[in-house]
Amino acid sequence: MSNQTGTELSAKKSGKFGQVMAKPEMTALVALIALCIVMCILRPETFPTPTNVFNIMRQFSLTAILAVGMGLIIITTGIDLSVGSVIAASAAFGTYIARANEGTPGIIVLLLILGFGAGMGLANGLLVSKVGLPPFIATLGTMSIGSGIALLITNGSPISYQPTWISVFGGGYIGPVPISVIVMAAIVVLGFIFANNTMTGRNIYAVGNSAPAAKLSGIKVDRILTLVYVIEGLLAGVCALLLVGQMNSADPSFGKSYEMDVIAAAVIGGISMSGGEGSILGTVVGAALMGVLKNMFVQLAVSGYWQTVILGLIIIGAVAIDSVRKKRATR
């Protein structure tokens, strides 16, 4: 009986999600298209070229990958401030083991990096679901721990990685398409299917809508909360793998300030900070919008100081719009 009730609750939430999220997701998409049109007019020789388009996609691919996991976390009313430091620590850990044991197979390095990221995500999830810490405090603490681990392993300086076949993930191409873009596309598709076509994915929305109601309906809320943080940790490991492959090194500065870009991408893409609503495809649109904006800043020679101000205003604006929309819906 309880499982059936949980299923009905999740299905209802999924249907509501499909109706409510159409507007903010489409708004972000329209803004992205408009921005691209403006840039094609202002910089017709440089912006719409295939080289620049693939460069933009490569640059926002990591943000999009992380935004998939961050979106799921925010849907549960949580947040993860540690993604950047998890990237740095995962890259440093895998690279250090490879250097200390010459001839370590690439598959072992890959598993070490992904495993370390998932482990950090598990720690976040348990602190939130079992210990009961607020997500902000839990992930703020692990952010500091991750940064410290990266600095301890690397001694504050980049450590080199002898390229193996896994390096192709970060620096390889298939024709003109960077492999990192292909990895991003695969993760987005899997994330979309998981969020919209599985019971666990629909339960994530149910938990974000009302955790007490979800628990009463038979949904294991603690497991759902732990799972979303493990997913984000694993995706941070994927990003670490891509960066190691691209740079052939591990740097303690990897992932610096990524949390801001990732949260911004999720919010701009229509994820509600109050939980329960959001679209995986929307987060990708938000990441793409961020990527085009940064490319625009470079092409128009906008000062780095102004870039920071503008991005901050965009985040505030996106959250404010979501807040106003929620208030109107409540009325």
Side-chain angles (χ1 to χ4, degrees), residues 151-313:
L151 289 169
L152 286 170
I153 292 175
T154 63
N155 200 26
S157 301
I159 54 177
S160 62
Y161 173 70
Q162 187 66 31
T164 64
W165 62 268
I166 67 171
S167 300
V168 72
F169 288 112
Y173 287 78
I174 295 180
V177 184
I179 290 182
S180 59
V181 174
I182 297 174
V183 172
M184 172 194 71
I187 288 174
V188 168
V189 170
L190 291 174
F192 178 80
I193 293 173
F194 171 73
N196 294 278
N197 298 98
T198 68
M199 185 55 62
T200 301
R202 289 190 288 270
N203 286 345
I204 290 173
Y205 287 99
V207 170
N209 185 47
S210 175
K215 190 171 184 178
L216 289 174
S217 67
I219 296 174
K220 298 186 182 300
V221 174
D222 287 354
R223 290 186 183 180
I224 293 294
L225 292 177
T226 303
L227 176 64
V228 293
Y229 286 97
V230 171
I231 290 173
E232 180 69 331
L234 180 63
L235 294 179
V238 171
C239 292
L241 183 69
L242 294 176
L243 286 171
V244 169
Q246 180 180 340
M247 307 300 294
N248 287 324
S249 66
D251 193 313
S253 66
F254 279 174
K256 186 176 181 180
S257 300
Y258 270 41
E259 55 278 353
M260 178 179 176
D261 288 349
V262 175
I263 294 170
V267 173
I268 291 170
I271 299 290
S272 175
M273 293 297 292
S274 58
E277 297 178 4
S279 166
I280 296 301
L281 294 182
T283 64
V284 179
V285 173
L289 185 58
M290 296 278 291
V292 172
L293 271 173
K294 291 185 177 182
N295 187 264
M296 179 191 75
F297 292 152
V298 172
Q299 297 215 19
L300 299 181
V302 177
S303 166
Y305 304 131
W306 277 110
Q307 292 183 31
T308 304
V309 172
I310 293 171
L311 290 176
L313 290 173

Side-chain angles (χ1 to χ4, degrees), residues 76-109:
T76 65
T77 69
I79 198 164
D80 188 352
L81 302 178
S82 68
V83 288
S85 64
V86 172
I87 290 174
S90 300
F93 178 72
T95 303
Y96 177 80
I97 297 298
R99 280 171 56 91
N101 301 273
E102 189 175 350
T104 302
I107 186 64
I108 299 299
V109 178

Side-chain angles (χ1 to χ4, degrees), residues 16 32 59 77 91 148 150 281:
K16 182 181 178 182
L32 173 62
Q59 289 178 342
T77 69
L281 294 182

